[in-house]
């Protein structure tokens, strides 16, 4: 890396998908991008886990630039991993149990069966009872962590970093995008509010659910509110899966993947169509309809093979070894192939999505 004049910096916007603990992949990607001192981030759009990442990233940039962003993302995910059950089990006991199961080749099988049992029970429970019935006190374990981690006064003071968090307005069924000056614990919780698990989050008398139903993540604020034409989407939902799901759990999981990915595909389709019209001179590029360059960072092989149920796993080995490491590698690959194309052209194969 070389120090360059500020004017030579490549300015980008990041669009971060939600996906539970799979968001640690995004952490890895962004951690690698932040190593480049000639890349700066102007705008951030995130939903659910993507929103948590985006807010942590913005907070770090405000504290100490790229290094501050790396530090804050690491601190956030370390806080997440401390919630793991294994964090409270003595290491000797944990490793002893794992060694015993490995000896008979049982560890992976038992883990998979246990997760399947838990999810089947949880799914049956959630279809029978709403969170208003089984959690009348509206206890949300995320609230304490969000309260403790984020400095909302600092975020609201931002002048040059733009942040957009997507939610779903329950009554109208329309997307609601909150910006950095609106940010609060409730806004972050609303962006990550799955209605089968949590009460709708009330903000100024209105109720909101997870933004992933309508914007995962929202692209249009980055087009209209940011100067940079480059939008880098970090995608957690697989473009394709290897097998047709047949069990009720697998069908439900795939249905959720399609639902939470469809809004992104719709926005990409419109962007692709408008871009072709601008390139062919049918439309003129304006402030309201400008030419943008879309870039995608993903690991379809990883996410097509990962059990969707693993999005609830916060085991440190999974977060660090499977997700963060893969994210760093994907970020490295993107930079090698496409860094020089930033500001020049779209590198995502948008035709593949339609």
């Amino acid at each position: 890396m070389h120090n360059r004049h500020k004017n030579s910096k490549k300015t980008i916007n990041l669009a971060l998908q939600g996906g539970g603990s799979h968001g640690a992949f995004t952490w890895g990607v962004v951690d690698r991008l932040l190593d480049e001192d000639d890349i700066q981030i102007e705008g951030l759009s995130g939903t659910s886990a993507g929103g948590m990442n985006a807010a942590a990233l913005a907070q770090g940039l405000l504290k100490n630039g790229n290094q501050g962003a790396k530090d804050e993302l690491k601190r956030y995910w370390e806080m997440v991993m401390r919630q793991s059950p294994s964090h409270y089990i003595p290491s000797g006991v944990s490793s002893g149990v794992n060694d015993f199961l490995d000896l008979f080749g049982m560890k992976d099988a038992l883990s998979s069966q246990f997760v399947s049992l838990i999810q089947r029970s949880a799914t049956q429970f959630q279809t029978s009872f709403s969170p208003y019935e089984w959690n009348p006190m509206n206890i949300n374990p995320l609230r304490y962590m969000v309260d403790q981690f984020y400095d909302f006064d600092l975020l609201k003071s931002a002048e040059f970093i733009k942040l957009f968090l997507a939610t779903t307005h329950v009554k109208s069924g329309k997307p609601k995008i909150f910006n950095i000056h609106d940010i609060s614990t409730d806004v972050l919780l609303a962006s990550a509010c799955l209605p089968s698990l949590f009460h709708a989050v009330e903000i100024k008398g209105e109720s909101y659910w997870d933004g992933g139903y309508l914007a995962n993540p929202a692209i249009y604020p980055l087009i209209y509110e940011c100067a940079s034409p480059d939008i880098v989407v970090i995608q957690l939902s697989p473009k394709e899966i290897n097998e047709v799901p047949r069990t009720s759990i697998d069908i439900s999981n795939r249905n959720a993947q399609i639902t939470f990915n469809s809004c992104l595909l719709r926005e990409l389709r419109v962007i692709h169509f408008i871009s072709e019209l601008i390139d062919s001179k049918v439309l003129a590029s304006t402030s309201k309809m400008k030419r943008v360059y879309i870039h995608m960072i993903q690991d379809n092989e990883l996410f097509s093979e990962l059990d969707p149920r693993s999005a609830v796993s916060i085991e440190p080995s999974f977060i660090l070894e499977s997700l963060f490491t893969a994210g760093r590698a994907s970020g490295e690959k993107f930079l090698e192939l496409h860094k020089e194309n930033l500001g020049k052209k779209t590198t995502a194969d948008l035709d593949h999505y339609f």
Side-chain angles (χ1 to χ4, degrees):
M1 295 184 290
H2 304 283
N3 290 321
R4 301 182 182 181
H5 191 274
K6 184 176 179 180
N7 290 338
S8 69
K9 286 182 178 290
K10 297 176 181 291
T11 304
I12 62 173
N13 302 306
L14 294 179
L16 312 181
Q17 271 199 330
S21 65
H22 291 175
F25 173 85
T26 298
W27 168 32
V29 172
V30 175
D31 188 76
R32 177 62 188 90
L33 297 182
L34 292 167
D35 287 338
E36 304 296 300
D37 60 3
D38 58 346
I39 291 181
Q40 65 182 18
I41 298 168
E42 177 187 7
L44 296 158
S45 179
T47 299
S48 198
M52 301 291 182
N53 273 327
L57 174 52
Q59 182 165 292
L61 289 171
L62 290 167
K63 284 185 175 182
N64 187 29
N66 282 17
Q67 185 57 51
K70 288 170 69 75
D71 293 342
E72 286 298 272
L73 281 168
K74 180 181 179 182
R75 188 168 73 89
Y76 171 78
W77 283 99
E78 285 176 343
M79 182 179 286
V80 170
M81 289 184 284
R82 283 198 296 273
Q83 313 310 310
S84 168
S86 65
H87 179 73
Y88 302 98
I89 300 175
S91 59
V93 175
S94 177
S95 61
V97 171
N98 286 337
D99 289 344
F100 176 80
L101 293 175
D102 273 336
L103 181 64
F104 295 96
M106 296 168 62
K107 180 181 175 183
D108 291 338
L110 287 180
S111 175
S112 176
Q113 290 176 13
F114 179 73
V115 171
S116 296
L117 176 62
I118 292 297
Q119 185 162 9
R120 281 198 300 271
S121 300
T123 300
Q124 185 175 2
F125 186 80
Q126 289 165 17
T127 57
S128 302
F129 303 96
S130 84
Y132 294 88
E133 295 170 317
W134 59 262
N135 182 17
M137 300 299 291
N138 195 20
I139 297 171
N140 188 335
L142 290 175
R143 182 173 290 277
Y144 174 79
M145 194 175 79
V146 170
D147 279 339
Q148 292 297 306
F149 182 82
Y150 294 100
D151 183 342
F152 296 113
D153 289 335
L154 174 64
L155 287 165
K156 288 179 180 180
S157 72
E159 296 181 3
F160 304 108
I161 298 169
K162 299 178 177 70
L163 173 64
F164 307 98
L165 300 170
T167 66
T168 298
H169 185 255
V170 178
K171 290 183 179 179
S172 69
K174 296 178 181 179
K176 167 66 176 177
I177 308 299
F178 292 91
N179 65 39
I180 198 166
H181 302 296
D182 302 320
I183 195 167
S184 66
T185 294
D186 284 335
V187 167
L188 282 169
L189 293 180
S191 183
C193 178
L194 291 172
S196 60
L197 298 177
F198 307 113
H199 293 208
V201 178
E202 286 202 9
I203 303 172
K204 296 182 178 179
E206 298 294 332
S207 298
Y208 298 93
W209 283 341
D210 194 299
Y213 294 107
L214 299 174
N216 191 25
I219 304 296
Y220 64 88
L222 300 175
I223 297 175
Y224 298 128
E225 304 292 336
C226 299
S228 173
D230 288 282
I231 299 173
V232 180
V233 181
I234 302 179
Q235 188 174 18
L236 304 181
S237 296
K239 291 186 295 185
E240 298 177 357
I241 60 173
N242 298 323
E243 297 180 0
V244 175
R246 298 186 182 279
T247 68
S248 60
I249 292 298
D250 289 341
I251 291 170
S252 176
N253 285 329
R254 183 55 180 159
N255 181 54
Q257 285 179 333
I258 292 171
T259 299
F260 281 95
N261 212 33
S262 61
C263 43
L264 174 63
L265 297 183
R266 285 194 298 270
E267 276 203 270
L268 292 178
R269 184 177 294 113
V270 172
I271 291 170
H272 185 48
F273 177 67
I274 297 297
S275 297
E276 288 189 329
L277 293 179
I278 291 174
D279 290 345
S280 62
K281 310 299 183 185
V282 174
L283 290 177
S285 182
T286 67
S287 59
K288 292 186 177 181
M289 197 172 291
K290 68 181 182 183
R291 183 63 166 90
V292 296
Y293 306 121
I294 301 295
H295 314 276
M296 304 289 294
I297 300 180
Q298 58 201 170
D299 187 336
N300 195 70
E301 182 178 355
L302 169 67
F303 286 106
S304 63
E305 293 179 356
L306 271 183
D307 189 327
R309 292 168 289 191
S310 64
V312 301
S313 172
I314 52 175
E315 286 300 309
S317 59
F318 177 62
I319 295 290
L320 293 171
E321 296 169 18
S322 298
L323 296 170
F324 174 78
T325 301
R328 285 274 309 182
S330 293
E332 176 70 32
K333 182 178 179 181
F334 171 79
L335 290 168
E336 289 179 357
L337 295 175
H338 301 305
K339 182 179 178 180
E340 294 308 312
N341 292 319
L342 293 174
K344 298 177 182 178
K345 67 177 184 178
T346 287
T347 61
D349 181 12
L350 296 183
D351 287 328
H352 181 82
Y353 288 86
F354 315 128

